């Protein structure tokens, strides 16, 4: 589908006309890298819980996080369901972030507000992972640095963009018609 006013694809890019406020390349790059990582983890948790991914420290993290899932007990089944639910939530959140950053270039102030909320959420999840990593992964040697780094990078990038990038109000419909 093409945008009728600008004859451009609805995917935001750096060639957007000056009246549109597409996110800058650094926001797109941080989002792309972080969400690729989180989508891979989320899809793994949904469809192959307990299978390590080829990321640094993932095998140790999986052994700690998914310990006991293979047990046919009620507790093992509850843990499996919880891991799959977390996977679904990772995928849903990743899709929301990708749409926020890569969709229609005209969402100037709504996008800013979403970046504020999503950036703060990234930093909160990063803090939670840091605070509880010993409880969740004690004795497994898990390295959560890739997860914490990805969330901190994206969260800080979103907040910097939301707070410091200048945004212009869109021209009114009357001004556009003239």
């Amino acid at each position: 589908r093409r945008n009728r006013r600008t004859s451009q694809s609805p995917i935001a890019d750096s060639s957007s006309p000056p009246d549109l406020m597409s996110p800058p390349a650094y926001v797109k790059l941080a989002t792309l890298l972080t969400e690729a990582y989180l989508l891979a983890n989320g899809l793994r948790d949904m469809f192959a819980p307990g299978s390590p991914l080829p990321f640094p420290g993932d095998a140790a993290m999986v052994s700690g996080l998914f310990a006991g899932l293979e047990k046919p007990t009620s507790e093992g089944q509850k843990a499996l369901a919880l891991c799959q639910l977390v996977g679904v939530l990772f995928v849903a959140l990743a899709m929301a972030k990708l749409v926020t950053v890569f969709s229609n270039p005209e969402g100037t102030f709504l996008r800013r507000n979403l970046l504020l909320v999503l950036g703060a959420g990234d930093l909160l999840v990063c803090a939670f992972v840091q605070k509880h990593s010993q409880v969740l992964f004690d004795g497994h040697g898990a390295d959560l640095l890739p997860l914490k780094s990805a969330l901190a990078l994206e969260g800080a990038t979103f907040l910097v963009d939301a707070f410091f990038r200048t945004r212009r109000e869109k021209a009114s419909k009357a001004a556009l018609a003239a």
Side-chain angles (χ1 to χ4, degrees):
R1 189 176 139 235
R2 297 226 174 247
N3 183 327
R4 291 179 197 191
R5 240 180 26 185
T6 64
S7 298
Q8 285 196 329
S9 165
I11 302 298
D13 63 26
S14 60
S15 65
S16 295
D19 65 322
L20 301 181
M21 294 293 295
S22 178
Y26 70 89
V27 173
K28 291 178 180 182
L29 180 62
T31 303
L32 193 61
L33 294 174
T34 301
E35 299 321 314
Y37 178 75
L38 292 179
L39 276 170
N41 279 278
L43 291 169
R44 180 264 320 272
D45 294 350
M46 288 168 55
F47 300 112
S51 302
L53 295 172
F55 298 124
D58 197 65
M61 183 178 75
V62 165
S63 71
L65 190 59
F66 294 99
L69 291 185
E70 68 284 347
K71 297 177 184 172
T73 64
S74 173
E75 291 303 314
Q77 294 303 305
K78 286 179 187 177
L80 176 62
L82 183 59
C83 286
Q84 289 178 317
L85 175 63
V86 168
V88 169
L89 294 173
F90 268 4
V91 169
L93 184 58
M95 290 188 312
K97 290 177 183 179
L98 289 168
V99 166
T100 298
V101 172
F102 289 99
S103 68
N104 193 336
E106 295 185 271
T108 306
F109 294 100
L110 174 59
R111 181 177 290 120
R112 180 205 56 201
N113 296 344
L114 288 170
L115 291 177
L116 285 170
V117 171
L118 295 170
D122 278 346
L123 296 180
L124 286 172
V125 171
C126 185
F128 178 85
V129 168
Q130 176 63 32
K131 179 179 179 182
H132 296 290
S133 61
Q134 289 299 331
V135 173
L136 292 171
F137 305 106
D138 190 36
H140 293 276
D143 180 9
L144 298 177
L145 186 60
L147 176 62
K148 292 185 291 189
S149 298
L151 291 171
L153 170 69
E154 184 183 58
T157 301
F158 282 1
L159 291 175
V160 165
D161 185 71
F163 281 119
F164 298 110
R165 185 163 57 101
T166 303
R167 287 167 167 77
R168 297 178 310 274
E169 297 227 9
K170 294 182 218 171
S172 68
K173 289 184 181 186
L176 289 174

